[in-house]
Amino acid sequence: EVQLVESGGGLVQPGGSLRLSCAASGFTFSSYAMSWVRQAPGKGLEWVSFINSGGGTLSYADSVKGRFTISRDNAKNTLYLQMNSLKPEDTAVYYCANMKDGYWGQGTQVTVSS
């Protein structure tokens, strides 16, 4: 059974940082590109970041470029998203996803507020 379990969300003040993790199981994690996607309250899904299977190719949405860093540890079957300089507009549920096969986690809430 494929599982993607996000963690690390929470409430943080503007300018603060959070590190999200996504633990993967049930598929060969190291063979797949992974993405982070978010959904803000009342809005649609927004792609945030992408990393290829080996970790050498990264890409980011313009809205997070320079503030967020995606990474992965294939030995630990874990995907990460380091989020710095957080803004209120980053408030959303964050999902990790293997978009090729349509696997998504349950999401973790990130709230940026003073």
Side-chain angles (χ1 to χ4, degrees):
E1 178 189 5
V2 172
Q3 283 194 315
L4 293 169
V5 180
E6 300 94 337
S7 61
L11 173 63
V12 63
Q13 292 186 341
S17 298
L18 282 175
R19 188 195 198 201
L20 305 184
S21 299
C22 171
S25 61
F27 67 103
T28 306
F29 178 75
S30 60
S31 296
Y32 288 88
M34 296 291 295
S35 295
W36 286 98
V37 180
R38 68 185 181 184
Q39 186 167 30
K43 297 189 176 181
L45 293 170
E46 177 190 17
W47 169 78
V48 173
S49 186
F50 165 92
I51 185 168
N52 73 337
S53 58
T57 299
L58 315 176
S59 59
Y60 300 93
D62 287 344
S63 57
V64 306
K65 200 172 294 181
R67 301 187 297 120
F68 290 11
T69 303
I70 191 171
S71 63
R72 65 191 297 161
D73 185 336
N74 285 341
K76 294 183 178 180
N77 288 349
T78 303
L79 177 73
Y80 302 100
L81 186 68
Q82 177 67 43
M83 306 186 295
N84 298 330
S85 302
L86 283 161
K87 304 176 181 180
E89 51 263 43
D90 294 318
T91 295
V93 178
Y94 284 73
Y95 301 92
C96 65
N98 168 345
M99 300 183 80
K100 179 178 184 295
D101 288 343
Y103 301 138
W104 291 67
Q106 84 290 347
T108 187
Q109 176 71 47
V110 172
T111 302
V112 185
S113 175
S114 55

